[in-house]
Amino acid sequence: MAKLVVVFENGSFSIPVKESESIVGRGENCNIKIIRPEVSRIHCKVWIESGSAWIEDLGSRNGTFVNGLKIDSRNLIRHGDSITLGSVLIKVLENEAEESFELSSASSCEMTTKPIGWNISTTDMVRKFFRKY
């Protein structure tokens, strides 16, 4: 199973991709909530289908990019792919893979992931704690 690794200047954290759709954006009803002005209220969705991970832009204002290319329809994502939503970098990894990442410019956001089992909140940078609920 794939996981998304959200990368910040001082660290990163991972979110598993589930078969049910996870909506990414800054809106209240998003499963993966990223509070950044360049991220739309409902930006994109990610999911697993037939054993493969997929992403689709949902009409976001600034677009969803996979490996530097803007996507306009559903797109297969694989281990090692880079997803960018404005200044937010998200790496795609297989669950077993462990890698470290660095981001040169500071990014700050508040993120919550409700249905997939993680609750992560940040203000200036990712605070290095994880709390399962």
Side-chain angles (χ1 to χ4, degrees):
M1 183 186 335
K3 65 181 175 181
L4 302 178
V5 180
V6 182
V7 182
F8 295 92
E9 185 177 71
N10 289 342
S12 62
F13 62 90
S14 63
I15 303 164
V17 178
K18 301 289 188 175
E19 290 202 22
S20 60
E21 294 177 351
S22 292
I23 305 298
V24 181
R26 59 183 168 83
E28 288 298 317
N29 295 322
C30 292
N31 307 92
I32 302 171
K33 189 173 177 184
I34 303 175
I35 307 299
R36 297 288 300 161
E38 67 272 21
V39 175
S40 295
R41 284 184 182 89
I42 298 175
H43 200 100
C44 63
K45 65 180 177 180
V46 293
W47 72 97
I48 300 289
E49 182 180 303
S50 301
S52 297
W54 295 85
I55 188 167
E56 183 176 358
D57 186 80
L58 297 174
S60 66
R61 181 177 40 146
N62 295 315
T64 300
F65 295 80
V66 176
N67 298 325
L69 300 173
K70 187 174 184 178
I71 62 168
D72 294 321
S73 60
R74 66 187 247 152
N75 198 68
L76 182 66
I77 50 177
R78 297 177 180 89
H79 175 77
D81 284 350
S82 295
I83 300 167
T84 51
L85 314 174
S87 65
V88 178
L89 171 65
I90 303 171
K91 294 293 286 184
V92 179
L93 298 179
E94 292 301 320
N95 268 343
E96 298 80 30
E98 289 297 328
E99 295 185 28
S100 61
F101 303 98
E102 292 183 15
L103 187 64
S104 58
S105 61
S107 291
S108 62
C109 76
E110 178 180 313
M111 182 169 290
T112 59
T113 57
K114 296 175 244 180
I116 57 178
W118 289 92
N119 182 14
I120 301 165
S121 177
T122 63
T123 52
D124 296 323
M125 297 292 172
V126 173
R127 292 184 185 140
K128 293 194 175 189
F129 78 91
F130 296 90
R131 181 175 69 89
K132 248 187 170 171
Y133 59 83

